[in-house]
Amino acid sequence: MSKNAYLPYYKTAEGAYVRSMEQYREMHKKSIELPAQFWSEIAVQFHWETPYDVDNFCSYNFDVTRGPVKVKWMEGATTNVCYNLLDKNVRNGMGDKVAFYWEGNDPEDYSKITYKKLLEEVCRFANVLKSKGIVKGDRVAIYMPMTLEIVITMLACARIGAVHSIVFAGFSSDSLAERMADCKCKVLVTADSVYRGDKLLNIKSLCDIAMDKAKNFGHEIPTCIVVRHLPRLYRSMNTTNGTNGSDSDTIDLHSDVPWTDGRDCWWHDEMDDVEPACYPVWVSAEDPLFMLYTSGSTGKPKGVLHTTGGYLIYAATTFKYVFDYHPGDVYWCTADIGWITGHSYVVYGPLANGASSVIFEGTPFYPDNGRYWSIIEKYKVSQFYTAPTAIRALMKFGEEPVKKYNLDTLKVLGSVGEPINPEAWLWYYKHIGKERCSIADTFWQTETGGHVITPLPGCTPMKPGSATFPFFGVNPILLDESGKEIKGVGEGYLVFNKPWPGMMRTLFGNHERYQSVYFSKFPGYYCTGDGARRDEDGYLWVTGRVDDMLNVSGHLMSTAEVESVLTEHPDVSEAAVVSRPHSIKGECLYCFVTPNNGIPFTPKLSSELVKKVRETIGPFAMPDVIQHAPGLPKTRSGKIMRRVLRKVAVNDRDVGDISTLADEHIVEELFNNRPEKT
Ligand code: WT7
């Protein structure tokens, strides 16, 4: 082992589930060689209405040349995820345990909910959905802030076999419309509005625009259920029970909520007189649990579909081992539920383990830059899971805001969404973890459903910036361009040759695309789209995307989707987008734009384009630079040479071989045209 590895804190602390690399290797070996045995020993802890068959536990085909790609776990078994998350825990005597501590944007605004109460609310909302005609297999779109109601909605869907399709509430109305039309949802569940920091976001107005736009795609949403969220703080000051109170408002902040009678209804009105019990619908292990859109390199979002049984056991198992969660711990994941991290590690994984977690609605900077640390102190958080972009942003304020709070309860610190640079890793390790916490740099994707490469606290010696080793059931392989396996030290395409229970099963309504995006480059392998390097100790280092995808603050997007927005502008002839390293966001968007003949490139055009991208995709996709490109560097066959544009973006004149370009002079012109003179 090289000297720069950090030993895990739990090494001496006793009590971690996996205590040595030897034990890890043994368990991993079993999970690969005897997957049915390994996973059935875990599955036995859950309730199966119809039991699974250990002899037919998993079947799959990864090789497109041999027939359709398929992945099936525990086919034939039936269960209900909501039952396993709530009823089972309540029956095991955990009814009064806190499932979630909810912390609002305003520090004065907080509440909590026990397992028993959560079950009741979920049953009531399941009955509301039923009353709106929702049955097993129907899609329910969700566009909501970080509230308890979003969790209640997800689990109510799971209870009746409906498929939730959450759209992160930072997406634009265009993005929401496209996704609702694609999944043909029967209901949209949303909220009136929300404060993020001191900014008020009118969510319902945005939903109205999106529901109108969805009609242009040929889909009409018959029902929209709206949580009255904004005046919660005022209500809780006036009543004893702060949540879901439908009366006693002294302040009416709702006169301006846009409303369509017949379609729109208030959550609290619907919840008022429904039964707090609802029998779960037993669904088959391979029935869909949810879908979630992720960016595709051709621009159109992909509806990643996850199913029931495999996802349940995988989310539960990764949560338990990767965060080393023990009863009594308080866990906090800062991710928004609108992303896969929120699905697997705010909702499904923690509840499957009967955990108590924090859900936070606000931002790390409000009311001041110590907010995260104050929440860790307030709830005595033991596992904290966040993104490198947040760590980098908070690092800028130094240690002062951190020192004000007691972070002694922390044991495990997680990182997710993008590679974490060693500088941020070390800051996290030293100043947040005080050099006694394990850091879990978890590599995974919307498609993988859960962590696939990650250290285990108390077990894996850590190297800053390395996601280290595969989780149980995962067999990572590095391939070179010709598809040959790179054994030992080397760098290549990161692929997997076996399914694990939590991986996606298809892209909603488009199995062809599923096969072509993930399984066609190297038949027999699931292709992550990332590159990775294996070092002399066998550690894996994810090096980033190998396709035309960008990762801005942990949000994945494709160059094609941004380019298509830019070229929609009437004055734009062509556009090319590349990523440029950014000190906080990790990567940012650097756009090259060629205006139509005779149209000048003006600051006005530039700011219109920034605004257009922001409004069409979402604020997180806002370009950092729009540069005038009199022409783009294209090969004779017309392919844009993006590596040259990436060099221009960082002002590095070492562009390499450009002899295949149709016009080499354009490169010099682009360097001269850089808006920043550095
Ligand atoms: C892409 C997946 C996983 C949930 C959040 C993002 C990048 C993610 C890491 C990490 C290096 C990482 C990859 C991956 N990524 N985690 N620990 N180290 N890269 O989900 O939006 O589906 O994005 O995020 O490029 O392919 P996603």
Side-chain angles (χ1 to χ4, degrees), residues 53-84:
D53 176 359
V54 183
D55 296 325
N56 181 24
F57 202 78
C58 172
S59 65
Y60 72 100
N61 173 41
F62 267 19
D63 189 344
V64 266
T65 64
R66 296 192 176 174
V69 175
K70 67 156 192 178
V71 175
K72 294 192 187 304
W73 289 83
M74 294 170 283
E75 215 183 355
T78 64
T79 187
N80 182 286
V81 169
C82 178
Y83 181 91
N84 277 292

Side-chain angles (χ1 to χ4, degrees), residues 335-377:
D336 194 284
I337 292 176
W339 304 105
I340 188 70
T341 309
H343 284 59
S344 300
Y345 302 114
V346 176
V347 181
Y348 289 105
L351 293 177
N353 283 275
S356 297
S357 329
V358 178
I359 289 188
F360 175 44
E361 175 187 50
T363 91
F365 318 109
Y366 182 85
D368 60 52
N369 303 319
R371 188 70 191 278
Y372 272 6
W373 324 128
S374 81
I375 294 174
I376 292 174
E377 178 183 275

